[in-house]
Amino acid sequence: MRAIILAAGVGTRLGPLGKVTSKAALPLLGKALITRVYESMVGLVDSVVVVVNPADEHIQKVLTTDPWNTRSVEIAFQIEPLGSADALRVALPMIDGPSMVTACDNLMSGDYLRAFIEYFRSEQLDALVGVARVPQDVESPSSIVSLDESGAVKTIIEKPKSSQRLSETMALPLYAFKSSFFAELSELQRSERNEYEIPLAIQNLINRGGEVRGFLAHDRITINSPKEYLFAVQRVLDEAGSVQVHPGAILAQDSELRAPVFIEDKAVICSNAIVGPHAYIMSGSHVGSKAVVSYSIVFRGSEIRSKQI
């Protein structure tokens, strides 16, 4: 099975973060988000295709540095942001069999992905969709699905209006497809948002009698906004539960680190500074003397000024 990672989106919902980096290259404790997505698939797929925007300098830099330049990865280019199905369509020349498709901002555990692939194969489905319960604080899920008692997907709607809220189950940007599904892309029409969307192609498949089911995820990390990014960083810090400092970081002997903390290369922590808990200090940033940084992300090259007492 081949995996396709869709990483050509512009990430407008990231707000000011999108001016610092593209979504796929967003750092998550020393690794770009797309790198973490890739690593979750290691050993589960035979090869990987990454779809990117050729104008995205941030992702280009990630994909040409270690460890990406030693991996067997093919690159496809989506020049215009015409939707997820269009991004998948540009990868078609590299697809020759059943494939798993995921977005670069959708991080699942390797155990879930293994079970997802095994279920798709054992049930001989035309398509499988990752699904999750809509979080209580989400008023407008990115997609919505209705399932019957067997788990079959009956309806899938991208960016639903309030009147289209058919259930409390949302579709994740994670799919597995038989190769026959890709014929749907050639006949796909643009949505009312003027985009070619994978959920619309799936709905067309269902309407033609294809067997599509949902596979429930109880846990995941998705980053579409600054709030979700902060949550993702806090969660990964919690999972580590320790103080992690790159050997190239510069720490004053009387600085104090409170776990969980992650400090990257070339970061400077000055005298009597307190860093943590839940602090992510990126490369090249500077935490001044007596400064206190907790429950925070300090971006590359940023300065936290010394505290004057």
mmCIF file of all heavy atoms in Angstrom, residues 28-29 36 107-109 218-222 227-241 260 278:
data_model
loop_
_atom_site.group_PDB
_atom_site.id
_atom_site.type_symbol
_atom_site.label_atom_id
_atom_site.label_comp_id
_atom_site.label_asym_id
_atom_site.label_seq_id
_atom_site.Cartn_x
_atom_site.Cartn_y
_atom_site.Cartn_z
ATOM 1 N N LEU A 28 7.051 20.827 15.853
ATOM 2 C CA LEU A 28 6.390 20.186 16.993
ATOM 3 C C LEU A 28 7.448 19.431 17.778
ATOM 4 O O LEU A 28 7.795 18.294 17.465
ATOM 5 C CB LEU A 28 5.284 19.252 16.501
ATOM 6 C CG LEU A 28 4.366 18.623 17.555
ATOM 7 C CD1 LEU A 28 3.737 19.695 18.431
ATOM 8 C CD2 LEU A 28 3.287 17.781 16.906
ATOM 9 N N LEU A 29 8.043 20.106 18.738
ATOM 10 C CA LEU A 29 9.127 19.574 19.574
ATOM 11 C C LEU A 29 10.258 19.008 18.726
ATOM 12 O O LEU A 29 10.587 17.819 18.776
ATOM 13 C CB LEU A 29 8.604 18.519 20.550
ATOM 14 C CG LEU A 29 7.543 18.961 21.543
ATOM 15 C CD1 LEU A 29 7.486 18.017 22.717
ATOM 16 C CD2 LEU A 29 7.713 20.386 22.010
ATOM 17 N N ARG A 36 6.426 14.081 11.635
ATOM 18 C CA ARG A 36 5.740 13.223 12.607
ATOM 19 C C ARG A 36 4.662 12.374 11.923
ATOM 20 O O ARG A 36 4.464 11.209 12.278
ATOM 21 C CB ARG A 36 5.150 14.067 13.731
ATOM 22 C CG ARG A 36 6.213 14.648 14.653
ATOM 23 C CD ARG A 36 5.600 15.350 15.852
ATOM 24 N NE ARG A 36 6.626 15.820 16.771
ATOM 25 C CZ ARG A 36 7.142 15.116 17.770
ATOM 26 N NH1 ARG A 36 6.687 13.885 18.001
ATOM 27 N NH2 ARG A 36 8.072 15.618 18.559
ATOM 28 N N LEU A 107 -2.438 13.953 12.834
ATOM 29 C CA LEU A 107 -1.458 13.033 13.396
ATOM 30 C C LEU A 107 -2.158 11.945 14.196
ATOM 31 O O LEU A 107 -2.815 12.219 15.204
ATOM 32 C CB LEU A 107 -0.481 13.801 14.288
ATOM 33 C CG LEU A 107 0.682 13.008 14.888
ATOM 34 C CD1 LEU A 107 1.510 12.349 13.800
ATOM 35 C CD2 LEU A 107 1.551 13.928 15.740
ATOM 36 N N MET A 108 -2.031 10.694 13.714
ATOM 37 C CA MET A 108 -2.639 9.537 14.353
ATOM 38 C C MET A 108 -1.531 8.623 14.883
ATOM 39 O O MET A 108 -0.407 8.635 14.383
ATOM 40 C CB MET A 108 -3.501 8.759 13.347
ATOM 41 C CG MET A 108 -4.404 9.607 12.480
ATOM 42 S SD MET A 108 -5.689 10.475 13.390
ATOM 43 C CE MET A 108 -6.665 9.107 14.011
ATOM 44 N N SER A 109 -1.856 7.800 15.846
ATOM 45 C CA SER A 109 -0.864 6.854 16.365
ATOM 46 C C SER A 109 -0.616 5.743 15.351
ATOM 47 O O SER A 109 -1.476 5.409 14.530
ATOM 48 C CB SER A 109 -1.351 6.245 17.684
ATOM 49 O OG SER A 109 -2.414 5.330 17.449
ATOM 50 N N HIS A 218 -10.411 7.311 18.645
ATOM 51 C CA HIS A 218 -10.685 7.868 19.967
ATOM 52 C C HIS A 218 -9.654 8.921 20.363
ATOM 53 O O HIS A 218 -9.853 9.655 21.330
ATOM 54 C CB HIS A 218 -10.704 6.757 21.018
ATOM 55 C CG HIS A 218 -11.784 5.749 20.793
ATOM 56 N ND1 HIS A 218 -13.104 6.002 21.069
ATOM 57 C CD2 HIS A 218 -11.738 4.484 20.291
ATOM 58 C CE1 HIS A 218 -13.844 4.939 20.769
ATOM 59 N NE2 HIS A 218 -13.037 4.009 20.298
ATOM 60 N N ASP A 219 -8.566 8.994 19.586
ATOM 61 C CA ASP A 219 -7.473 9.868 19.980
ATOM 62 C C ASP A 219 -6.735 10.339 18.731
ATOM 63 O O ASP A 219 -6.457 9.536 17.836
ATOM 64 C CB ASP A 219 -6.517 9.129 20.898
ATOM 65 C CG ASP A 219 -5.564 10.057 21.598
ATOM 66 O OD1 ASP A 219 -5.901 11.235 21.763
ATOM 67 O OD2 ASP A 219 -4.463 9.602 21.975
ATOM 68 N N ARG A 220 -6.401 11.626 18.674
ATOM 69 C CA ARG A 220 -5.677 12.154 17.522
ATOM 70 C C ARG A 220 -5.186 13.556 17.858
ATOM 71 O O ARG A 220 -5.618 14.173 18.826
ATOM 72 C CB ARG A 220 -6.579 12.230 16.295
ATOM 73 C CG ARG A 220 -7.694 13.259 16.448
ATOM 74 C CD ARG A 220 -8.744 13.135 15.374
ATOM 75 N NE ARG A 220 -9.789 14.115 15.555
ATOM 76 C CZ ARG A 220 -9.920 15.237 14.858
ATOM 77 N NH1 ARG A 220 -9.044 15.507 13.906
ATOM 78 N NH2 ARG A 220 -10.883 16.084 15.087
ATOM 79 N N ILE A 221 -4.274 14.052 17.039
ATOM 80 C CA ILE A 221 -3.823 15.433 17.121
ATOM 81 C C ILE A 221 -4.072 16.072 15.767
ATOM 82 O O ILE A 221 -3.597 15.587 14.745
ATOM 83 C CB ILE A 221 -2.331 15.531 17.483
ATOM 84 C CG1 ILE A 221 -2.092 15.014 18.909
ATOM 85 C CG2 ILE A 221 -1.826 16.956 17.339
ATOM 86 C CD1 ILE A 221 -0.634 14.995 19.311
ATOM 87 N N THR A 222 -4.836 17.141 15.754
ATOM 88 C CA THR A 222 -5.094 17.885 14.536
ATOM 89 C C THR A 222 -4.767 19.349 14.797
ATOM 90 O O THR A 222 -5.113 19.884 15.843
ATOM 91 C CB THR A 222 -6.566 17.761 14.089
ATOM 92 O OG1 THR A 222 -6.852 16.384 13.842
ATOM 93 C CG2 THR A 222 -6.808 18.546 12.808
ATOM 94 N N LYS A 227 -4.803 27.785 18.668
ATOM 95 C CA LYS A 227 -5.246 27.098 19.882
ATOM 96 C C LYS A 227 -4.939 25.603 19.792
ATOM 97 O O LYS A 227 -4.437 24.997 20.765
ATOM 98 C CB LYS A 227 -6.737 27.314 20.082
ATOM 99 C CG LYS A 227 -7.308 26.618 21.307
ATOM 100 C CD LYS A 227 -8.803 26.867 21.429
ATOM 101 C CE LYS A 227 -9.399 26.119 22.614
ATOM 102 N NZ LYS A 227 -10.868 26.349 22.725
ATOM 103 N N GLU A 228 -5.217 24.990 18.642
ATOM 104 C CA GLU A 228 -4.939 23.556 18.484
ATOM 105 C C GLU A 228 -3.440 23.287 18.469
ATOM 106 O O GLU A 228 -2.987 22.228 18.932
ATOM 107 C CB GLU A 228 -5.598 23.042 17.203
ATOM 108 C CG GLU A 228 -7.110 22.965 17.302
ATOM 109 C CD GLU A 228 -7.755 22.435 16.034
ATOM 110 O OE1 GLU A 228 -7.134 22.516 14.946
ATOM 111 O OE2 GLU A 228 -8.891 21.944 16.125
ATOM 112 N N TYR A 229 -2.661 24.224 17.946
ATOM 113 C CA TYR A 229 -1.204 24.051 17.952
ATOM 114 C C TYR A 229 -0.671 24.057 19.381
ATOM 115 O O TYR A 229 0.138 23.211 19.763
ATOM 116 C CB TYR A 229 -0.545 25.156 17.131
ATOM 117 C CG TYR A 229 0.965 25.094 17.122
ATOM 118 C CD1 TYR A 229 1.641 23.928 16.759
ATOM 119 C CD2 TYR A 229 1.725 26.206 17.477
ATOM 120 C CE1 TYR A 229 3.025 23.865 16.755
ATOM 121 C CE2 TYR A 229 3.110 26.156 17.469
ATOM 122 C CZ TYR A 229 3.757 24.991 17.106
ATOM 123 O OH TYR A 229 5.129 24.926 17.103
ATOM 124 N N LEU A 230 -1.133 25.007 20.187
ATOM 125 C CA LEU A 230 -0.706 25.056 21.582
ATOM 126 C C LEU A 230 -1.098 23.778 22.309
ATOM 127 O O LEU A 230 -0.300 23.210 23.063
ATOM 128 C CB LEU A 230 -1.318 26.273 22.270
ATOM 129 C CG LEU A 230 -0.958 26.465 23.750
ATOM 130 C CD1 LEU A 230 0.541 26.644 23.921
ATOM 131 C CD2 LEU A 230 -1.706 27.666 24.324
ATOM 132 N N PHE A 231 -2.320 23.292 22.055
ATOM 133 C CA PHE A 231 -2.767 22.051 22.682
ATOM 134 C C PHE A 231 -1.874 20.883 22.266
ATOM 135 O O PHE A 231 -1.504 20.040 23.092
ATOM 136 C CB PHE A 231 -4.213 21.754 22.287
ATOM 137 C CG PHE A 231 -4.699 20.404 22.722
ATOM 138 C CD1 PHE A 231 -5.113 20.179 24.023
ATOM 139 C CD2 PHE A 231 -4.724 19.329 21.828
ATOM 140 C CE1 PHE A 231 -5.546 18.921 24.432
ATOM 141 C CE2 PHE A 231 -5.151 18.075 22.226
ATOM 142 C CZ PHE A 231 -5.572 17.871 23.531
ATOM 143 N N ALA A 232 -1.503 20.824 20.971
ATOM 144 C CA ALA A 232 -0.662 19.734 20.482
ATOM 145 C C ALA A 232 0.703 19.749 21.158
ATOM 146 O O ALA A 232 1.225 18.700 21.570
ATOM 147 C CB ALA A 232 -0.509 19.832 18.967
ATOM 148 N N VAL A 233 1.294 20.928 21.284
ATOM 149 C CA VAL A 233 2.595 21.039 21.943
ATOM 150 C C VAL A 233 2.501 20.611 23.403
ATOM 151 O O VAL A 233 3.333 19.834 23.899
ATOM 152 C CB VAL A 233 3.132 22.482 21.827
ATOM 153 C CG1 VAL A 233 4.341 22.681 22.745
ATOM 154 C CG2 VAL A 233 3.510 22.800 20.390
ATOM 155 N N GLN A 234 1.462 21.078 24.113
ATOM 156 C CA GLN A 234 1.302 20.714 25.517
ATOM 157 C C GLN A 234 1.127 19.208 25.678
ATOM 158 O O GLN A 234 1.665 18.593 26.604
ATOM 159 C CB GLN A 234 0.101 21.449 26.125
ATOM 160 C CG GLN A 234 0.158 22.959 26.036
ATOM 161 C CD GLN A 234 1.390 23.555 26.703
ATOM 162 O OE1 GLN A 234 1.873 23.047 27.704
ATOM 163 N NE2 GLN A 234 1.898 24.617 26.133
ATOM 164 N N ARG A 235 0.393 18.627 24.742
ATOM 165 C CA ARG A 235 0.142 17.188 24.842
ATOM 166 C C ARG A 235 1.405 16.369 24.603
ATOM 167 O O ARG A 235 1.686 15.413 25.334
ATOM 168 C CB ARG A 235 -0.927 16.794 23.830
ATOM 169 C CG ARG A 235 -1.159 15.305 23.832
ATOM 170 C CD ARG A 235 -2.336 14.905 23.039
ATOM 171 N NE ARG A 235 -2.289 13.486 22.790
ATOM 172 C CZ ARG A 235 -3.180 12.841 22.064
ATOM 173 N NH1 ARG A 235 -4.203 13.486 21.555
ATOM 174 N NH2 ARG A 235 -3.082 11.550 21.876
ATOM 175 N N VAL A 236 2.178 16.741 23.592
ATOM 176 C CA VAL A 236 3.414 16.000 23.317
ATOM 177 C C VAL A 236 4.412 16.195 24.454
ATOM 178 O O VAL A 236 5.147 15.275 24.812
ATOM 179 C CB VAL A 236 4.006 16.424 21.956
ATOM 180 C CG1 VAL A 236 5.317 15.704 21.696
ATOM 181 C CG2 VAL A 236 3.017 16.115 20.831
ATOM 182 N N LEU A 237 4.430 17.387 25.036
ATOM 183 C CA LEU A 237 5.264 17.599 26.213
ATOM 184 C C LEU A 237 4.838 16.682 27.356
ATOM 185 O O LEU A 237 5.672 16.076 28.037
ATOM 186 C CB LEU A 237 5.172 19.064 26.663
ATOM 187 C CG LEU A 237 6.007 20.081 25.908
ATOM 188 C CD1 LEU A 237 5.594 21.498 26.300
ATOM 189 C CD2 LEU A 237 7.497 19.874 26.159
ATOM 190 N N ASP A 238 3.533 16.581 27.582
ATOM 191 C CA ASP A 238 3.022 15.714 28.643
ATOM 192 C C ASP A 238 3.419 14.263 28.421
ATOM 193 O O ASP A 238 3.749 13.535 29.367
ATOM 194 C CB ASP A 238 1.504 15.820 28.734
ATOM 195 C CG ASP A 238 1.051 17.007 29.575
ATOM 196 O OD1 ASP A 238 1.816 17.407 30.471
ATOM 197 O OD2 ASP A 238 -0.046 17.521 29.326
ATOM 198 N N GLU A 239 3.357 13.822 27.160
ATOM 199 C CA GLU A 239 3.705 12.433 26.851
ATOM 200 C C GLU A 239 5.162 12.149 27.173
ATOM 201 O O GLU A 239 5.509 11.057 27.627
ATOM 202 C CB GLU A 239 3.405 12.145 25.379
ATOM 203 C CG GLU A 239 1.911 12.092 25.066
ATOM 204 C CD GLU A 239 1.628 11.955 23.577
ATOM 205 O OE1 GLU A 239 2.588 12.038 22.774
ATOM 206 O OE2 GLU A 239 0.450 11.767 23.218
ATOM 207 N N ALA A 240 6.029 13.127 26.918
ATOM 208 C CA ALA A 240 7.448 12.957 27.250
ATOM 209 C C ALA A 240 7.657 13.070 28.762
ATOM 210 O O ALA A 240 8.376 12.269 29.366
ATOM 211 C CB ALA A 240 8.281 13.998 26.519
ATOM 212 N N GLY A 241 7.015 14.083 29.367
ATOM 213 C CA GLY A 241 7.067 14.239 30.820
ATOM 214 C C GLY A 241 8.436 14.504 31.398
ATOM 215 O O GLY A 241 8.693 14.211 32.560
ATOM 216 N N PRO A 260 7.368 19.392 32.199
ATOM 217 C CA PRO A 260 8.028 19.041 30.948
ATOM 218 C C PRO A 260 8.472 20.274 30.164
ATOM 219 O O PRO A 260 7.765 21.272 30.099
ATOM 220 C CB PRO A 260 6.941 18.284 30.192
ATOM 221 C CG PRO A 260 5.663 18.902 30.648
ATOM 222 C CD PRO A 260 5.880 19.270 32.092
ATOM 223 N N HIS A 278 5.758 22.993 30.901
ATOM 224 C CA HIS A 278 5.067 23.127 29.624
ATOM 225 C C HIS A 278 5.605 24.296 28.806
ATOM 226 O O HIS A 278 4.860 25.203 28.430
ATOM 227 C CB HIS A 278 3.557 23.252 29.824
ATOM 228 C CG HIS A 278 2.918 21.999 30.340
ATOM 229 N ND1 HIS A 278 2.734 21.784 31.679
ATOM 230 C CD2 HIS A 278 2.440 20.922 29.698
ATOM 231 C CE1 HIS A 278 2.169 20.608 31.862
ATOM 232 N NE2 HIS A 278 1.989 20.050 30.673
#
